[in-house]
Amino acid sequence: MLLIPAIDLKDGRCVRLRQGDMNDATVFSEDPVAMARHWLALGARRLHVVDLNGARSGKPVNEPIIKKIVAAVGDEMPVQLGGGLRDLDIIERYIDDGVRYVVIGTAAVKNPGFLQDACSAFGGHVIVALDAKGGKVATDGWSKLTGHDVTDLARKFEDYGVDAVLYTDIGRDGMLTGVNLEATVELARAVKIPVLASGGIRDLTDIDKLCAVQDEGVQGAVLGRSLYEGTLDFKAALARADELSG
């Protein structure tokens, strides 16, 4: 079970949102690079970075600080990056800078051909993000709910060659109400590629639940507010996950 700390960037600072609301942001650090080094020092094997401003504007906004994060930790702790990745040239630039995985969300849903092109050009580096509420996919920083079924889209994108699906229950994200295990497992059973869980993870109980379904295809989890507010101790979570995963 891969446990992935998240750094969400808004105006160059490390923040967490509640249910994706840009107006409901809590600042946890003024120095995202130091925060990245902190997670590396605690044993993280991958880092999840989101350009929140970029997700809303559709283009990179926090690129200078992202470059610094990758330069500081990217060799030892692969970085997966999302937010505003809607152009192949931008993706190429980030990968050239050392980003290991790009996370494509809104652009994949709105323009599947773009995702297909990205998978062709950058095979082995593409994760698709499906953010859902009630089984339906949301786009544009979660501000718009589509009629697309999350499972149908995941199967379609699997055929394109994406490496994994990052599944977020947006009704739970940042709320510390517990992971939506049922929906996550349902999605993981529908595809052969790994599913990364996100949204609502609170404490070691959730880590236990996720590890119990690892064989179903839930192979990782992105951790945010629980780490920053202290309801989940990362070193303890890592030790538990390693123990349960053998």
Side-chain angles (χ1 to χ4, degrees):
M1 178 62 59
L2 186 63
L3 301 183
I4 311 170
I7 291 180
D8 289 0
L9 298 170
K10 181 174 184 261
D11 307 328
R13 300 183 296 180
C14 177
V15 307
R16 292 302 294 172
L17 307 182
R18 293 183 192 276
Q19 297 181 309
D21 185 354
M22 289 286 275
N23 296 315
D24 191 357
T26 307
V27 177
F28 285 103
S29 174
E30 299 282 348
D31 189 348
V33 176
M35 187 59 69
R37 288 196 176 104
H38 169 73
W39 297 127
L40 175 63
L42 289 182
R45 294 162 195 149
R46 191 186 294 184
L47 183 68
H48 181 74
V49 178
V50 181
D51 183 346
L52 292 173
N53 302 105
R56 282 298 164 92
S57 68
K59 59 188 178 185
V61 175
N62 291 287
E63 187 171 359
I65 197 75
I66 291 165
K67 284 185 174 183
K68 290 179 182 177
I69 290 171
V70 174
V73 303
D75 288 342
E76 299 169 87
M77 178 174 59
V79 173
Q80 62 183 49
L81 171 69
L85 302 179
R86 301 175 196 175
D87 181 293
L88 291 177
D89 290 339
I90 291 168
I91 291 174
E92 184 174 27
R93 197 164 74 218
Y94 274 128
I95 290 176
D96 286 346
D97 286 337
V99 169
R100 184 74 57 87
Y101 302 99
V102 290
V103 182
I104 304 175
T106 293
V109 179
K110 288 187 164 183
N111 184 5
F114 167 71
L115 179 67
Q116 201 162 17
D117 290 343
C119 289
S120 296
F122 310 109
H125 297 280
V126 181
I127 295 170
V128 69
L130 294 178
D131 308 322
K133 191 171 185 178
K136 299 299 181 184
V137 174
T139 61
D140 298 277
W142 304 348
S143 61
K144 297 175 183 174
L145 201 61
T146 73
H148 294 295
D149 181 83
V150 66
T151 303
D152 291 344
L153 275 187
R155 286 188 177 126
K156 178 179 178 178
F157 296 156
E158 178 179 31
D159 290 341
Y160 289 176
V162 300
D163 284 78
V165 177
L166 173 62
Y167 173 70
T168 302
D169 182 328
I170 61 177
R172 300 189 184 218
D173 189 74
M175 304 304 287
L176 298 177
T177 50
V179 65
N180 187 339
L181 199 68
E182 185 179 348
T184 306
V185 169
E186 184 181 338
L187 178 61
R189 286 174 176 164
V191 295
K192 296 181 179 68
I193 53 177
V195 170
L196 307 177
S198 173
I201 297 167
R202 175 181 172 80
D203 52 27
L204 281 176
T205 303
D206 285 310
I207 303 301
D208 289 346
K209 289 176 180 177
L210 288 165
C211 288
V213 296
Q214 186 168 338
D215 290 343
E216 302 275 10
V218 183
Q219 295 186 15
V222 173
L223 309 173
R225 187 173 287 272
S226 60
L227 298 182
Y228 291 102
E229 294 201 347
T231 63
L232 181 65
D233 177 271
F234 185 70
K235 285 195 82 168
L238 206 57
R240 180 73 64 89
D242 286 349
E243 176 191 344
L244 293 175
S245 301

